[in-house]
Amino acid sequence: MRMRGGRITRIAMPIKALAQRFAFALLLALSLALLAMSRADFVWAERARVAIIDVAEPLLAALSRPTQLARSAMRSFEEMMHLQEENQRLRQDNQRLQHWQQVALRLEQDNALLRRLLQVNTDPQMAFVTARVVSEPAGAFVRTVLVNAGQRDGLKRGDAVTADLGFVGRVIEAGQRAARVLLVTDLNSRIPVMVGTARSRGILAGDNGPTPRVEYLPGSAQVSVGDRVVTSGDGGLLPPGLAIGEVASVSDNIVRVRPLVDLARIEWVQVVRYEQPQPNLSPSKFLGPR
Amino acid sequence: MVVESAKLWQVRLLGLTPAALSLVAVLLAAVPFGLPFFGPVVPGFAVMSVFYWSIFRPELMPGWAAFILGLVQDALTGVPFGATSIILVLVQGICLSQRKVFVGKSFAIGWWGFVLMAGGAAAVSWAIASLYALHLYDPRPVVVQFVLTVSIYPAVAWFFGRIEIAVLRRAG
């Protein structure tokens, strides 16, 4: 018996090793093939990814609950420490904002009047979906987050995403219950923007660093540190006028922008469901009576 | 007979522990901790898990498990499909062929082996990402990630060791 067992082992061992080597080569080839197909934007590669994030979303949401509790506890502690300063700051803010409210009301009236005079109707149709961030921008090569809202909440690829103060990125993959957001800092992010009061047009390009840069600004553009950077809406994919950040530095024609939102610590986002306004171009209005 | 088949199922279920732990590791790496600067350098838990189990319980960490873990990590972190699979399949394959060097040796030798393996994995992942995007990525986050990963490894290996004794040895 023992002899036979030994012989079987002697024969089986090399076969097992061979099978292992074969499996190893096969899996490696399969991974490489997948990578090549992702590069070529195969549709089903994206479908498979989306299916995985849909399944993982409840798990991630459950796992992120304790860390979220810890974060909110830490934040309340920080707030307690600075209660008095905060109070004073809020009083000042309040005064300033009341002044701005008066200005805004007046401008709103003016605006409505002028719009009526010109008969323009270009207000974009915007609706918001609020979602929680369930995965961190993990890894050295990408700056993306997963949020717990998807197609069943009306999200689609290309939607703009904002977080309390400003624009943070765009939806690049939308599953049924989860979606991936490409942050403005990612290497692959390109957002049409306007800079400063002169509204110089450019493209905000991420480079995985904390401060993306504005490219393709016209040579004549006057840009200085502190200028506001907002989405321009060029190309019609994103609503215009969403605040992104401020110019952080200008040197050797390289304009860098500091986002308004701390992208490493986003907890909630609002996804903007934007319908491109239909231009009101009936010829009679523009050409007048013939 | 019934008792025997129940026992068999129990053993099979417990045998899934390494793969399940690795899956949890992949999920944990994606959970938002809200710590600034942590996201880009979050340690490679998946590499630790695949390394440990391929050496100490190779039959419970087959190549296809490493492959699937890689796909899940790719989907969750948003890197191109297959990028992490290549890394984990390589780690599993190399560990399997070199496991005799590590089994029954001191922990320091295992740790040294992990340093080499994680270093190789970091370099390969950087090369794949750079080739894929046709862009030379800043290698600093990868280096920091590597240092964090190898410094945490002893704690994770200790934890896996406890699991192995408590769950897997009992199951036989």
Side-chain angles (χ1 to χ4, degrees):
Chain A
M1 259 330 248
R2 190 179 289 169
M3 278 288 286
R4 224 164 84 192
R7 203 176 301 149
I8 287 174
T9 319
R10 265 205 301 280
I11 298 167
M13 281 301 271
I15 293 177
K16 200 178 158 199
L18 207 65
Q20 271 170 357
R21 242 170 249 174
F22 177 70
F24 175 70
L26 187 74
L27 290 169
L28 215 53
L30 202 57
S31 305
L32 279 168
L34 276 174
L35 204 57
M37 284 179 211
S38 299
R39 188 82 173 93
D41 281 331
F42 266 46
V43 178
W44 65 261
E46 193 194 321
R47 277 198 201 131
R49 304 170 63 96
V50 163
I52 292 177
I53 62 175
D54 266 346
V55 174
E57 185 273 326
L59 292 169
L60 280 174
L63 281 172
S64 68
R65 198 130 300 167
T67 67
Q68 197 157 38
L69 276 177
R71 283 159 80 175
S72 64
M74 207 123 89
R75 209 173 31 241
S76 353
F77 181 72
E78 267 174 44
E79 279 167 9
M80 294 257 283
M81 299 296 284
H82 302 108
L83 219 52
Q84 209 168 357
E85 290 163 41
E86 183 74 357
N87 207 352
Q88 189 157 7
R89 196 180 62 79
L90 287 174
R91 267 177 225 275
Q92 285 169 355
D93 269 8
N94 199 15
Q95 260 176 9
R96 207 161 44 84
L97 289 174
Q98 269 177 354
H99 164 71
W100 276 109
Q101 191 193 17
Q102 294 306 315
V103 175
L105 284 173
R106 207 182 61 230
L107 287 175
E108 194 185 14
Q109 281 171 2
D110 282 1
N111 206 338
L113 188 73
L114 292 170
R115 274 171 193 273
R116 252 203 315 279
L117 282 173
L118 286 170
Q119 294 186 314
V120 286
N121 179 26
T122 54
D123 271 349
Q125 302 295 309
M126 280 209 248
F128 296 94
V129 177
T130 303
R132 196 153 72 84
V133 172
V134 290
S135 102
E136 192 155 64
F141 308 116
V142 285
R143 300 288 178 269
T144 64
V145 295
L146 287 179
V147 299
N148 70 343
Q151 285 178 11
R152 62 171 184 186
D153 308 289
L155 265 64
K156 61 179 191 311
R157 209 176 149 156
D159 280 348
V161 182
T162 62
D164 27 272
L165 292 166
F167 178 81
V168 294
R170 277 181 312 136
V171 173
I172 49 163
E173 286 170 0
Q176 281 305 310
R177 44 168 60 232
R180 177 174 303 287
V181 178
L182 186 75
L183 300 177
V184 288
T185 45
D186 190 281
L187 187 71
N188 290 309
S189 170
R190 298 285 180 279
I191 308 290
V193 292
M194 295 186 289
V195 184
T197 43
R199 298 164 86 80
S200 315
R201 308 272 163 145
I203 301 285
L204 186 70
D207 57 5
N208 279 5
T211 51
R213 50 200 271 184
V214 185
E215 291 177 348
Y216 308 116
L217 273 172
S220 57
Q222 294 289 317
V223 177
S224 43
V225 173
D227 278 356
R228 262 167 65 87
V229 177
V230 301
T231 56
S232 70
D234 287 348
L237 293 173
L238 298 172
L242 296 176
I244 298 179
E246 287 178 352
V247 173
S249 68
V250 183
S251 61
D252 301 334
N253 285 331
I254 295 177
V255 178
R256 291 203 168 268
V257 177
R258 175 168 304 112
L260 290 170
V261 180
D262 181 357
L263 296 173
R265 312 171 73 161
I266 326 171
E267 287 179 57
W268 295 91
V269 295
Q270 286 191 307
V271 182
V272 183
R273 292 164 54 192
Y274 172 68
E275 299 296 332
Q276 171 73 355
Q278 294 303 313
N280 196 350
L281 289 180
S282 52
S284 61
K285 246 179 214 168
F286 284 86
L287 300 176
R290 260 180 273 190
Chain B
M1 197 62 193
V2 174
V3 177
E4 260 176 37
S5 86
K7 171 91 176 135
L8 196 68
W9 273 106
Q10 193 191 355
V11 170
R12 276 189 194 160
L13 270 180
L14 290 175
L16 290 176
T17 312
L21 276 176
S22 309
L23 195 62
V24 172
V26 167
L27 286 170
L28 267 183
V31 163
F33 286 97
L35 298 170
F37 313 116
F38 187 64
V41 296
V42 61
F45 291 116
V47 173
M48 297 186 214
S49 194
V50 170
F51 177 85
Y52 183 92
W53 296 114
S54 307
I55 284 177
F56 295 104
R57 296 305 283 259
E59 74 282 7
L60 300 180
M61 179 53 73
W64 58 264
F67 175 76
I68 291 174
L69 282 169
L71 288 191
V72 174
Q73 172 142 340
D74 286 337
L76 292 187
T77 54
V79 291
F81 238 13
T84 311
S85 296
I86 294 178
I87 307 289
L88 295 185
V89 168
L90 277 174
V91 168
Q92 192 267 349
I94 295 171
C95 287
L96 202 62
S97 65
Q98 304 297 319
R99 61 182 293 265
K100 288 198 184 97
V101 180
F102 301 107
V103 173
K105 300 286 163 54
S106 73
F107 177 75
I109 290 177
W111 195 7
W112 174 239
F114 182 72
V115 169
L116 292 180
M117 192 65 84
V124 173
S125 74
W126 180 83
I128 290 175
S130 296
L131 265 176
Y132 186 89
L134 295 177
H135 166 90
L136 280 182
Y137 279 98
D138 181 1
R140 282 172 297 179
V142 184
V143 174
V144 177
Q145 186 174 42
F146 161 71
V147 172
L148 272 180
T149 304
V150 296
S151 355
I152 292 175
Y153 178 72
V156 175
W158 176 84
F159 173 71
F160 285 159
R162 306 300 300 176
I163 297 271
E164 199 193 348
I165 291 165
V167 180
L168 298 174
R169 295 228 175 121
R170 192 174 298 168

